[in-house]
Amino acid sequence: MVISRSLHCLRCARPAEGFDGCRTCAAEGIGVNTMPPLADLGGVDLTGYPGGPWGLPSALPVSGPPVTLGEGNTPLIRLRNDQDRDGADGPAGEVRLKHEGGNPTGSHKDRAMAVGVAAAVAAGADTVVAASSGNAGAAAAAYAARAGLRCVVFTNEAVPAGLRAQIDALGAERVVHPGTTADRNAAMARAVQEPGWYPLTSYSAPSPGGNPYANEGYKSVAYELARDLAGRRLDTVVVPTSRADLLAGIGRGFRELAAAGLIAREPRLVAAEPAAAAPFTAALRHPDRADQERTRVAAGPTVAFSLGEERPCWQGLDALWRSGGTAVAVNDEAISAEHRRLAAEGLLLEPSSAVGVAVARAQARTSGALVVAIGTATGLKGLGG
Amino acid sequence: MVISRSLHCLRCARPAEGFDGCRTCAAEGIGVNTMPPLADLGGVDLTGYPGGPWGLPSALPVSGPPVTLGEGNTPLIRLRNDQDRDGADGPAGEVRLKHEGGNPTGSHKDRAMAVGVAAAVAAGADTVVAASSGNAGAAAAAYAARAGLRCVVFTNEAVPAGLRAQIDALGAERVVHPGTTADRNAAMARAVQEPGWYPLTSYSAPSPGGNPYANEGYKSVAYELARDLAGRRLDTVVVPTSRADLLAGIGRGFRELAAAGLIAREPRLVAAEPAAAAPFTAALRHPDRADQERTRVAAGPTVAFSLGEERPCWQGLDALWRSGGTAVAVNDEAISAEHRRLAAEGLLLEPSSAVGVAVARAQARTSGALVVAIGTATGLKGLGG
């Protein structure tokens, strides 16, 4: 197995090694990832694309036998629109839910960890490490198990019982760090440097976002949408956003598709955040991009427990800028109301997913167009806990 | 929406109405379902089949707008084989897991309830009712919510906490019947007769198996396997079996595919049962089919809590006879060991799914051929409960 190692900073274009983002930009207070070049999708026929990251291996920076548990190819479900419900006049638009809870461990993180663990195997690692309060840890545990690697998950005490049990059942070693995020990051940095564990999540500040190779797995969401909506104009994609790994990955996928002529135009991307922790929403209030990049907010607790950052990762801003998108914050009351509304439509997702759907409904109402909301994870993990 | 109502008994061919199976055969002590005719798949191109029951609506006895939450199209995951693990000599065969936990409510029941609730809508019902100690109740609740119908779930006290919470969160009314199965059946029969609730599961004895229209949704498992394994010879499909709704439905799907020339031959079907409740395994020990049909065993508790019947539903036996298959019982120790082994490969399923995988590994070892195990449900519902 071979890894393309030509990582470069997305903002300043400097080449980089390692997984702690661009240190030059970090010194300016800006968290930005280092990534491989975009893939060339010329000649790809999407009608034959079987879905998932490994359905289009040439688009990945890791080659060789895939590490897979059948991730991707998640359903795209039409939601009831406000017109159906309220009998309102005018075009209500159409909202579809891309239900990532259908992935093997129940979240979108599977797309990333499938590729990230393959990169770890290619790097010769025998242990992978992830810092996570939930879904990423469960996905890391599952894919490490699949590849026969040891997995250590650094968590805090806020991990819900169902997620804790999932991580444990999948054989990962769960290490609870009662200290600050900085303490946890420092412990993870030591593990990466000394025993040489392979990091599947980031461990520096300001956060650059996740492992670059892993994040390339998210491009497959865009490929699947392009395949499944062939011939329809997809106006907007709304993504529940914390560090914007998923948002930025989807944006890269659409850029590749547009460059190869596989879609006519890239959809607008919208970051959906909980109001308690909404750095992208705060950033876009500044007229000047230099101020946007350096935004910092207080991050408080929210029912959307898997979301919450103080700073906008740069590649998330870049994805919004390039696509003419925006960021919208939703308060906990509206998140809970949307969570209940989804259940009343038969869909049980984690509360973070409701953040995106609430924003998508509003976007569809305004535009009258087709809007996709990414449902990031199943609600099953939160039950009985 | 139109329903084809030409139900007939699969055993004696008498036409029938209603959802309590063939009363003539029941009077002989044999539980057998009444079903519509097989569909004609002539002219179907499986390469364009998008998966799920509604991906091939002409094969369903219910027409009209689908009731869907994106069910079906579940992944087919290659498991590590014994040769990989033990370095054993000789052909170890290949086991693939069809992971039904990827369905919207986390189990194969979604395929049935999608079609069953559409049939309820077509019948003009405003309330559906299901007797279930778990996954079927959750699926009924979700699809009823999707269609805007009221859902009542009759359960017993043994329902795990996660499943109870799922049923409640999806807005169903859960009625706990502390009495015997006979008491619960009697209550459900009254609800079907008097308020006219639409039954999504059976309520007579001996059990005929589930709602005939709903059960047609399971045929899509066979269609997906035929599409995904095109060009490969699928030797055996192992199905965790209780009332054999899934087994019989998969068998019907393969018969339709073979009749239309879409597969060269039907795979062997194998019923995998917990040793604590293994009527099919007991039945096949009798040389005479008349004795097989009338088998009755004691059903005890098992870690595979969603399985367990006293009698083999006739259509399950028929599926085994027609395909040259068999039934195999697995004791709780082996079920738990396989459950752990799957987790060590990154796959968290409910214990009932491990029953099928354990049998599939043995079948593959013996035959050296390609064996598919149906993984009936996710393990996420059992966590933190």
Side-chain angles (χ1 to χ4, degrees):
Chain A
M1 196 180 281
V2 177
I3 299 194
S4 144
R5 293 198 172 274
S6 63
L7 299 181
H8 63 280
C9 172
L10 293 171
R11 178 170 174 270
C12 74
R14 283 186 182 83
E17 290 279 334
F19 302 108
D20 50 356
C22 177
R23 303 324 300 159
T24 310
C25 292
E28 296 181 43
I30 298 164
V32 51
N33 222 333
T34 58
M35 293 294 291
L38 291 177
D40 178 0
L41 301 187
V44 167
D45 174 9
L46 279 182
T47 60
Y49 169 55
W54 299 108
L56 204 47
S58 65
L60 296 177
V62 182
S63 58
V67 177
T68 180
L69 293 166
E71 59 290 336
N73 233 13
T74 51
L76 190 59
I77 305 164
R78 187 175 172 168
L79 299 184
R80 248 176 248 155
N81 68 21
D82 291 323
Q83 201 167 26
D84 298 340
R85 195 172 62 148
D86 303 333
D89 286 339
E94 178 182 336
V95 179
R96 295 204 191 189
L97 177 78
K98 178 80 169 157
H99 191 349
E100 292 289 294
N103 279 303
T105 79
S107 87
H108 68 288
K109 299 281 184 184
D110 290 345
R111 296 181 189 264
M113 293 304 173
V115 184
V117 169
V121 170
D126 58 10
T127 301
V128 294
V129 57
S132 165
S133 55
N135 288 318
Y143 285 86
R146 178 70 169 168
L149 303 185
R150 179 180 169 219
C151 179
V152 179
V153 180
F154 287 177
T155 67
N156 56 39
E157 285 157 333
V159 179
L163 274 159
R164 271 206 311 271
Q166 186 185 16
I167 292 166
D168 293 349
L170 289 163
E173 294 160 49
R174 195 162 45 78
V175 181
V176 179
H177 268 266
T180 63
T181 301
D183 294 337
R184 192 172 74 169
N185 281 345
M188 185 153 158
R190 280 193 300 275
V192 170
Q193 280 147 27
E194 283 159 36
W197 296 353
Y198 187 90
L200 291 172
T201 61
S202 64
Y203 51 90
S204 50
S207 173
N211 178 295
Y213 301 112
N215 280 5
E216 287 291 81
Y218 293 132
K219 297 190 301 189
S220 55
V221 174
Y223 308 157
E224 291 172 21
L225 288 172
R227 179 197 62 186
D228 294 344
L229 293 170
R232 296 260 341 234
R233 178 161 165 216
L234 173 55
D235 188 76
T236 299
V237 177
V238 180
V239 188
T241 296
S242 184
R243 288 183 183 165
D245 287 324
L246 179 59
L247 174 77
I250 293 173
R252 285 171 63 88
F254 281 123
R255 284 169 64 196
E256 291 175 350
L257 290 163
L262 294 169
I263 54 173
R265 58 184 289 287
E266 298 170 40
R268 289 172 70 233
L269 298 177
V270 174
E273 300 180 295
F280 287 94
T281 306
L284 293 186
R285 289 201 195 102
H286 296 294
D288 185 349
R289 287 192 179 182
D291 294 328
Q292 292 181 18
E293 292 176 336
R294 289 168 179 81
T295 303
R296 185 164 188 177
V297 300
T302 159
V303 292
F305 59 84
S306 63
L307 302 179
E309 283 293 314
E310 296 183 350
R311 304 173 191 255
C313 285
W314 188 87
Q315 58 273 12
L317 286 172
D318 187 51
L320 302 181
W321 295 333
R322 284 177 183 272
S323 71
T326 189
V328 180
V330 183
N331 66 34
D332 271 16
E333 191 181 350
I335 295 169
S336 295
E338 180 59 64
H339 192 243
R340 287 190 300 271
R341 182 172 173 187
L342 283 167
E345 291 196 37
L347 290 158
L348 210 56
L349 295 108
E350 73 167 10
S352 304
S353 300
V355 181
V357 176
V359 171
R361 295 206 206 257
Q363 295 277 325
R365 227 164 15 233
T366 308
S367 66
L370 173 59
V371 177
V372 165
I374 311 295
T376 43
T378 177
L380 291 178
K381 301 185 194 190
L383 296 174
Chain B
M1 193 180 282
V2 177
I3 297 194
S4 144
R5 293 198 171 273
S6 62
L7 300 181
H8 62 281
C9 172
L10 293 171
R11 180 170 173 270
C12 73
R14 285 189 181 82
E17 290 279 333
F19 302 109
D20 50 359
C22 177
R23 303 322 301 156
T24 309
C25 293
E28 297 181 42
I30 298 164
V32 49
N33 222 332
T34 57
M35 293 294 292
L38 292 176
D40 178 0
L41 301 188
V44 167
D45 175 9
L46 279 180
T47 60
Y49 169 55
W54 299 109
L56 204 47
S58 65
L60 296 177
V62 182
S63 58
V67 176
T68 180
L69 293 165
E71 59 290 336
N73 232 14
T74 52
L76 189 60
I77 306 164
R78 187 176 171 165
L79 299 183
R80 248 176 248 154
N81 68 21
D82 291 321
Q83 202 167 30
D84 296 343
R85 196 172 61 147
D86 304 332
D89 287 337
E94 178 182 336
V95 178
R96 295 204 190 186
L97 177 78
K98 178 81 170 156
H99 192 349
E100 291 289 297
N103 279 303
T105 78
S107 88
H108 69 287
K109 300 281 185 183
D110 290 346
R111 296 182 190 263
M113 293 305 174
V115 184
V117 169
V121 170
D126 58 9
T127 302
V128 294
V129 58
S132 165
S133 56
N135 288 319
Y143 286 85
R146 179 68 169 169
L149 303 186
R150 179 178 168 219
C151 179
V152 179
V153 179
F154 287 175
T155 67
N156 56 39
E157 284 158 333
V159 180
L163 273 159
R164 270 205 311 271
Q166 187 185 14
I167 292 167
D168 293 349
L170 289 163
E173 294 161 46
R174 196 164 43 78
V175 181
V176 179
H177 268 266
T180 63
T181 302
D183 294 338
R184 193 172 75 170
N185 280 345
M188 186 154 156
R190 280 193 299 277
V192 170
Q193 280 148 25
E194 283 157 36
W197 296 354
Y198 187 90
L200 291 172
T201 62
S202 64
Y203 52 90
S204 49
S207 173
N211 178 295
Y213 302 111
N215 279 5
E216 288 290 83
Y218 293 132
K219 298 190 301 189
S220 56
V221 173
Y223 309 157
E224 292 172 20
L225 288 172
R227 179 197 62 186
D228 294 346
L229 293 170
R232 295 255 350 229
R233 170 150 175 225
L234 173 56
D235 187 76
T236 299
V237 177
V238 180
V239 188
T241 295
S242 184
R243 290 185 182 162
D245 287 323
L246 178 59
L247 174 76
I250 292 172
R252 286 170 64 86
F254 281 124
R255 284 169 63 196
E256 291 175 349
L257 290 163
L262 295 169
I263 55 174
R265 58 182 290 287
E266 299 170 40
R268 287 173 70 235
L269 298 178
V270 174
E273 299 181 294
F280 286 95
T281 306
L284 292 186
R285 288 202 197 102
H286 296 295
D288 184 350
R289 286 192 179 181
D291 293 328
Q292 293 182 16
E293 293 175 336
R294 289 166 180 82
T295 303
R296 185 164 189 178
V297 299
T302 160
V303 293
F305 59 81
S306 63
L307 303 179
E309 282 294 315
E310 295 185 351
R311 304 173 191 254
C313 286
W314 189 88
Q315 58 274 10
L317 286 173
D318 186 51
L320 302 181
W321 295 332
R322 286 178 182 272
S323 72
T326 189
V328 181
V330 184
N331 66 34
D332 271 17
E333 191 182 348
I335 295 168
S336 295
E338 180 58 63
H339 191 242
R340 287 191 300 271
R341 183 173 173 186
L342 284 167
E345 290 196 37
L347 290 159
L348 212 55
L349 295 107
E350 73 167 10
S352 305
S353 300
V355 181
V357 175
V359 172
R361 294 205 207 257
Q363 295 277 324
R365 228 168 12 236
T366 308
S367 66
L370 174 59
V371 177
V372 165
I374 310 295
T376 42
T378 178
L380 291 178
K381 301 185 192 188
L383 296 173

